Amino acid sequence: MMKKKKVVKSKVKKGAKKIKKVMKEFKKGKLHSGSKKGPEVTNPKQAIAIAMSEAKMSKKKKKK
């Protein structure tokens, strides 16, 4: 059990670093949707979605 928790924590830390990096890009105005030639991202929710996908993390789905 202990090994499994450590693996999950390391993935979360790596994901958090990636999200932090992408959000800094967004704040500087250098985050693009798609490739560098794509339009710049202006919506913070879109920036979070890009960060989550780059970090290979999924958003938690809400239960109805």
Side-chain angles (χ1 to χ4, degrees):
M1 288 296 246
M2 296 301 269
K3 287 183 181 181
K4 194 172 189 179
K5 285 185 179 180
K6 285 183 180 180
V7 171
V8 172
K9 284 183 181 180
S10 66
K11 284 184 181 180
V12 170
K13 284 183 181 179
K14 287 179 185 178
K17 284 183 183 179
K18 187 68 173 181
I19 291 170
K20 194 173 184 179
K21 182 180 175 185
V22 172
M23 292 309 290
K24 279 186 179 180
E25 265 186 60
F26 169 70
K27 287 178 183 177
K28 289 181 181 179
K30 295 188 177 187
L31 181 64
H32 295 268
S33 61
S35 64
K36 293 291 181 188
K37 294 178 183 178
E40 288 183 358
V41 175
T42 56
N43 188 350
K45 286 186 179 180
Q46 189 179 6
I48 292 169
I50 291 169
M52 297 289 271
S53 68
E54 284 188 16
K56 296 180 181 169
M57 299 173 75
S58 61
K59 288 186 178 181
K60 292 182 180 177
K61 293 183 179 179
K62 294 181 181 178
K63 293 183 180 179
K64 289 185 177 181

